[in-house]
Amino acid sequence: MYHLLLLLLVLLPFATADAHAAAFCNNATCGGQSIAYPFWLANSGPNCGYPGLGVSCNENTPILDVQFHQYRVLRIDYANRAVSLADVDAWNTTCPRLSFSLSVDPRSSLQLTPSNSNLTLLYNCKAGVSRPSAVKLDGCPEQSMAWYVLPDDDGATGDARAYGCEEAVTTPVLMSPRRPANPSLREALSGGFQMRYDDRSERCGACEQSGGRCRYGRIEEHGGTGFACVCDDGANKLRGCTLLMLEETKIV
């Protein structure tokens, strides 16, 4: 009896920790945008969704860090596993001073979709950029020399020195049928771009239908980390809670 009591005292903190983690992994809302698995609110803990998909809610604005740069979350399309983002440096301004060129790691859970095109912004150019499609930006407060914008179909290299400029920043923009035929730079950048996230999140739907909650953490079946379906008893399962309960009943 003494040994049984001791065992319960040892296991109880772990069960409580699992239940505590599950409670903080509930879906949330920020700025009217639902934040659900595989995304998670940054203050809810790293085990609520996939690494790199933690969303911070800053002044009721959802922000996602991609490669240590901040992007506004415009929309998460859970049905198509896509997220629309806009560079915070380019939000709602006619004179965007971008500082980061997005280059996606092929191993990342976020990948750019074919719906995007690229814009290259050239800053502090000593001479005129001799490209037919180059658009000069005038009247910007931070502007000491000429700024230009080059579209994707111009064949821009992203090398500032090739144009006699101090800096070149390339950013994706979403080319949607709903966009104007010739959007302004402000419209194009504020409209953001689209990324697709890992389709492993499909398992979350079956988990939620079985009464479980989706999270990312340690899996009891094999002891590794990955997708987990947290059941009411606090257990982390690879599959749905109801399905596992039925399988366990058959075994008994």
Side-chain angles (χ1 to χ4, degrees):
M1 185 68 178
Y2 171 77
H3 295 290
L4 178 60
L5 180 61
L6 182 61
L7 180 61
L8 288 173
L9 290 174
V10 170
L11 293 178
L12 183 59
F14 293 96
T16 304
D18 275 337
H20 180 73
F24 279 90
C25 291
N26 292 332
N27 295 350
T29 301
C30 177
Q33 172 62 59
S34 172
I35 309 298
Y37 188 90
F39 297 89
W40 45 281
L41 276 184
N43 61 356
S44 62
N47 291 335
C48 294
Y50 272 86
L53 298 186
V55 177
S56 57
C57 193
N58 299 339
E59 298 182 353
N60 206 33
T61 299
I63 300 293
L64 181 67
D65 278 10
V66 181
Q67 298 176 355
F68 304 102
H69 188 74
Q70 290 190 333
Y71 293 89
R72 291 178 67 111
V73 178
L74 304 180
R75 180 172 181 260
I76 302 177
D77 183 350
Y78 292 99
N80 294 306
R81 301 189 298 276
V83 56
S84 297
L85 305 172
D87 193 323
V88 295
D89 293 338
W91 181 252
N92 204 26
T93 176
T94 55
C95 291
R97 185 65 172 91
L98 303 186
S99 60
F100 183 76
S101 292
L102 180 63
S103 178
V104 181
D105 187 331
R107 298 168 296 180
S108 171
S109 57
L110 286 173
Q111 295 294 324
L112 291 167
T113 70
S115 303
N116 300 303
S117 183
N118 283 331
L119 290 178
T120 298
L121 284 86
L122 302 170
Y123 295 106
N124 296 337
C125 303
K126 297 177 181 178
V129 175
S130 58
R131 290 277 189 171
S133 60
V135 177
K136 187 177 181 181
L137 297 179
D138 290 316
C140 295
E142 298 180 35
Q143 193 173 13
S144 58
M145 290 185 281
W147 293 4
Y148 289 89
V149 182
L150 295 177
D152 190 43
D153 56 9
D154 189 89
T157 65
D159 183 0
R161 293 170 298 179
Y163 306 100
C165 307
E166 291 183 2
E167 186 178 3
V169 179
T170 299
T171 183
V173 291
L174 182 62
M175 294 292 105
S176 168
R178 291 175 292 179
R179 288 282 184 86
N182 295 297
S184 68
L185 181 60
R186 177 176 179 173
E187 289 173 329
L189 294 178
S190 295
F193 57 93
Q194 189 180 71
M195 301 190 82
R196 192 172 299 280
Y197 56 84
D198 200 320
D199 60 4
R200 286 176 294 179
S201 61
E202 283 183 329
R203 288 179 288 181
C204 184
C207 169
E208 291 179 335
Q209 289 177 6
S210 73
R213 301 175 187 174
C214 305
R215 62 171 285 186
Y216 182 94
R218 187 178 64 83
I219 312 301
E220 292 180 353
E221 280 92 329
H222 57 67
T225 56
F227 170 79
C229 186
V230 181
C231 306
D232 288 338
D233 60 1
N236 298 342
K237 304 294 184 181
L238 283 167
R239 292 166 287 172
C241 301
T242 305
L243 176 62
L244 282 161
M245 287 172 62
L246 290 174
E247 290 177 348
E248 290 167 0
T249 301
K250 290 178 181 179
I251 294 172
V252 175

